[in-house]
Amino acid sequence: MTDNRLPSDFLWGGAMAANQCEGAYDINGKGLSIMDIMTVGSSSKRRRATPEIEPNEYYPNHNGIDFYHRYKEDIKLLNDMGLKCFRTSIAWTRIFPKGDETQPNEKGLEFYDDLINALLENNIEPIITISHYEMPLYLVKKYGGWENKKLIDFYLNYCRVLFKRYAGKVKYWMTFNEINSTWFLPSISGVKITADDPNYLQVKCQTMHNLFVASARAVQMGHEINPNNQVGCMVLTTVGYPQTTNPKDVLAADDYITRGTLAFTDVHVRGHYPNFVKQMVRKNHLTIDITDEEIADLQKGTVDYIGLSYYSSSVVSNKVNEKEDNTIGGNFSMGLKNPFLEANEWGWQSDPDGFRLILRWLGQRYELPLFVVENGYGHEDEVLPNHVIHDDYRINYLKQHVNALAEAIDEDGIDVIGYTPWGCIDLISASTGEMKKRYGMVYVDLDNAGKGTLERYKKDSFYWYQKVIQSNGDEL
Ligand code: BG6
C-alpha cells in the first residue's frame, strides 16, 4: 500500500440523521414528521403504517438512540475516534412543527445551536443535510406533499432560517438526502400515489421538478447569505451490472444508472434536464407545471459538490420476469443476485469495485468534488463479556471500500473531499425501523422492541477507524 494516497485535508467523518438518532419526537414544540408514524418491520410493512399514532404500537423513531439528550457524550466519543467532520440533519419539524408557519420555533433552534457549538468545540466540522426523509407530516396531510408547489416556499423559508442562523458555523450543506429516492418511493416526499395509478409518472415528474426547483433556489440562497457556503446535492448511488453480454442487458444496465442516478445529478450539476428526460415527458404526453423562471433558477442554482451514498450493487436484466424469484434487497433499488458477491442478511451485496466505478462515473462526468456522505454495512452484533464487540465483517467492508476510494483518488484522479460512513453510532434503520441492522462503530444497547440501557460501547471497528483517520487512510 502506498503512502499519502489521500489529500491531507481529507474530511474523515461519520453520518447520522435526526429522525434516526435524536428521539425526543414531541419535545420542545417539535411537530410530527413522516418518520414518526413508522413502525418496525420489513420495508413494505413499515411503509404501510397508518398516518396517525396508534396506542399500543411501537414507533422506534420516537426515542431513536436518545441522541437529543446524549449528544454531548456522543460527540466526545466521535472526537475520541478522531472524526474531523460529522454529518447530521436538522429535523424540519423542530424548527417548523407543521412546516407552513412563518416564524420558527426558537426552542428547536436552540437544540441545534448547542449541538453545532458542541461539534465545533470538539474540532468536528458539522455537515448538514437540510431534509433527510423527515418532512413535516402536516405538509403531507394538508398539501399532499412535494407534489404541491407550495412546499417550495415552505422549504425555502426553513432554509433561510438555517443559513442565517448558522452562517459562519456550517460550511457544507446538502439540500435533500438521496433526492432520487423519491423517484422509486414517492411517499418519502409525502406523495400518495401508487405505481398502478395512471397518473403515476405525471405525479412523480411534477414532484421531482418541485424538489429540483427547491434545491436550486436553496443553493442560490445559501450562496447569497454566505458566499463561503458549499451547498451540495445528495444522491443515492448503486451500480447495476448487465446480467449477460447480451446488448439488451447492457442497455438495461445503462438505463439503470442513467435513469436511476445520473438524470438527477445532471439537473443539479448542469442546471437543466437531460434530453432523455425531456423525451420521456414528451412521449408520455405529460403536462408538468414548469415556468420559465423555474428553468432559469435550475441553471442559477447548480451545486458546489455532489454528496452521495453508496452501499451495494446489483445485476440488471432486460427480462423483467426473471427478477421475480431472484431479487436481492436494497432500500429502493431491487435487482438480481450477483454470484461473485457476498450479501448481508438484508440482501445488500458488498461491492467495493462498484464503489470505485461510481466514483469514476460521477467524477469523470462532472469534474466536480464528490463527498461520500454514506457508506456502510448493516449487520447484527454480538456483545461479549466486558462489552467487547468483534465486528470483523464491518471492518472488512469498510477497509475494502476505503481502499477503493483511495484508488479512485490516487489512481483515477477523482476529486473526493470526504468520507462519512453511515450510522457511526448505531441508530434506527430507515427501511425497517430495526435496531439490529447496525452500522455503527459505537454500539448502542437497544433492541428492536426499544428495550435496553442505551449505553454506548466501542466496537473493534471504532479502534480500527481511529487508526485509519490517524494515518490518513494509510493504515487499513
Ligand atoms: C440511506 C439513507 O438510504 O441508507 C439512510 O439515507 C439509511 O437514512 C441508510 O439509514 C441505510 O439504510 P437502512 O435502511 O439500512 O437504514
Side-chain angles (χ1 to χ4, degrees):
M1 198 151 297
T2 53
D3 281 358
N4 304 317
R5 294 190 296 173
L6 297 170
S8 57
D9 56 353
F10 191 73
L11 285 167
W12 293 102
M16 316 229 282
N19 73 89
Q20 291 170 259
C21 70
E22 286 177 5
Y25 82 106
D26 60 353
I27 283 180
N28 286 328
K30 182 183 171 300
L32 288 183
S33 87
I34 55 170
M35 288 314 236
D36 291 325
I37 53 161
M38 295 289 198
T39 55
V40 185
S42 66
S43 309
S44 50
K45 180 181 172 225
R46 185 164 157 79
R47 286 170 196 153
R48 273 205 304 272
T50 56
E52 306 295 337
I53 291 181
E54 291 175 358
N56 308 323
E57 186 62 87
Y58 171 57
Y59 296 94
N61 301 59
H62 285 190
N63 297 320
I65 56 159
D66 199 29
F67 183 74
Y68 187 88
H69 295 110
R70 293 166 191 255
Y71 71 90
K72 285 195 177 139
E73 299 99 90
D74 285 342
I75 289 174
K76 285 207 175 74
L77 281 167
L78 301 180
N79 183 29
D80 190 9
M81 200 162 18
L83 297 202
K84 298 188 189 311
C85 70
F86 174 64
R87 171 185 178 229
T88 191
S89 61
I90 289 182
W92 189 344
T93 48
R94 283 200 199 286
I95 316 303
F96 290 99
K98 285 157 73 180
D100 63 354
E101 302 92 336
T102 48
Q103 293 307 311
N105 170 31
E106 188 56 30
K107 283 269 170 222
L109 284 164
E110 281 168 16
F111 170 69
Y112 293 106
D113 295 347
D114 293 346
L115 173 65
I116 288 170
N117 287 340
L119 286 167
L120 294 171
E121 280 158 21
N122 281 273
N123 296 316
I124 299 176
E125 171 144 21
I127 313 285
I128 298 296
T129 318
I130 297 172
S131 179
H132 189 129
Y133 296 162
E134 54 210 354
M135 65 180 293
L137 183 60
Y138 182 81
L139 295 184
V140 178
K141 289 185 175 175
K142 176 144 188 222
Y143 299 94
W146 275 98
E147 181 188 350
N148 189 328
K149 280 199 176 191
K150 287 193 175 134
L151 265 75
I152 299 175
D153 285 338
F154 300 147
Y155 172 81
L156 290 172
N157 198 24
Y158 164 53
C159 290
R160 187 174 302 106
V161 169
L162 301 188
F163 285 137
K164 286 194 171 166
R165 184 91 168 199
Y166 302 117
K169 291 192 172 184
V170 175
K171 176 178 170 190
Y172 290 99
W173 302 84
M174 274 163 278
T175 52
F176 291 99
N177 182 63
E178 295 185 334
I179 194 165
N180 45 340
S181 61
T182 293
W183 188 251
F184 305 106
L185 186 68
S187 62
I188 208 79
S189 286
V191 175
K192 291 188 203 105
I193 190 136
T194 48
D196 51 7
D197 191 302
N199 281 328
Y200 188 58
L201 196 55
Q202 162 84 31
V203 168
K204 279 206 308 179
C205 287
Q206 185 66 58
T207 303
M208 285 314 312
H209 176 70
N210 297 346
L211 288 165
F212 283 134
V213 172
S215 178
R217 289 184 179 159
V219 173
Q220 292 179 66
M221 182 190 283
H223 291 157
E224 277 155 23
I225 292 177
N226 185 351
N228 288 334
N229 276 335
Q230 292 287 298
V231 191
C233 57
M234 198 301 209
V235 285
L236 115 82
T237 68
T238 168
V239 173
Y241 298 104
Q243 191 181 34
T244 68
T245 49
N246 179 344
K248 295 208 180 311
D249 281 345
V250 178
L251 271 179
D254 187 69
D255 275 352
Y256 185 85
I257 179 71
T258 353
R259 284 152 208 259
T261 303
L262 300 178
F264 302 84
T265 36
D266 277 358
V267 182
H268 283 302
V269 178
R270 295 176 171 163
H272 56 82
Y273 287 103
N275 284 335
F276 68 86
V277 170
K278 291 183 194 158
Q279 286 294 88
M280 176 192 71
V281 169
R282 200 178 57 80
K283 286 170 97 70
N284 286 284
H285 310 290
L286 306 179
T287 46
I288 317 296
D289 177 2
I290 302 182
T291 67
D292 291 345
E293 193 192 355
E294 288 167 354
I295 293 289
D297 277 336
L298 291 183
Q299 193 66 64
K300 285 189 234 159
T302 55
V303 292
D304 299 311
Y305 66 95
I306 300 170
L308 65 121
S309 64
Y310 174 87
Y311 290 89
S312 60
S313 67
S314 58
V315 172
V316 179
S317 162
N318 74 92
K319 294 185 201 137
V320 178
N321 57 1
E322 276 185 20
K323 291 183 182 169
E324 274 166 16
D325 56 356
N326 202 14
T327 49
I328 56 143
N331 273 3
F332 306 112
S333 42
M334 304 300 274
L336 305 176
K337 281 182 189 147
N338 188 328
F340 299 98
L341 300 176
E342 301 280 326
N344 72 1
E345 195 189 325
W346 289 266
W348 295 31
Q349 306 186 101
S350 168
D351 179 14
D353 294 316
F355 184 33
R356 185 167 168 188
L357 266 179
I358 284 288
L359 296 175
R360 284 184 186 180
W361 286 343
L362 293 175
Q364 289 164 358
R365 186 176 178 107
Y366 302 114
E367 297 184 339
L368 207 64
L370 307 181
F371 198 163
V372 179
V373 294
E374 281 188 37
N375 173 241
Y377 195 60
H379 205 284
E380 225 174 321
D381 290 325
E382 187 189 357
V383 184
L384 300 174
N386 300 319
H387 307 132
V388 167
I389 298 134
H390 296 310
D391 57 341
D392 308 1
Y393 34 85
R394 187 169 295 108
I395 295 175
N396 284 340
Y397 176 97
L398 293 170
K399 189 184 284 190
Q400 290 174 13
H401 284 74
V402 172
N403 191 50
L405 172 114
E407 284 173 346
I409 295 174
D410 189 48
E411 292 175 30
D412 306 333
I414 306 297
D415 182 8
V416 187
I417 57 175
Y419 178 71
T420 60
W422 178 246
C424 45
I425 301 175
D426 290 342
L427 36 59
I428 307 293
S429 158
S431 57
T432 69
E434 291 167 294
M435 260 315 283
K436 74 169 193 174
K437 191 179 186 191
R438 296 172 183 274
Y439 289 88
M441 297 156 195
V442 173
Y443 184 91
V444 176
D445 180 19
L446 185 70
D447 68 14
N448 278 356
K451 305 258 179 331
T453 63
L454 286 169
E455 280 193 31
R456 279 51 167 160
Y457 309 126
K458 296 173 182 173
K459 305 182 193 177
D460 285 357
S461 55
F462 180 100
Y463 301 102
W464 170 80
Y465 194 43
Q466 196 177 44
K467 275 203 203 133
V468 172
I469 298 176
Q470 273 165 11
S471 66
N472 198 30
D474 280 348
E475 254 186 75
L476 295 181

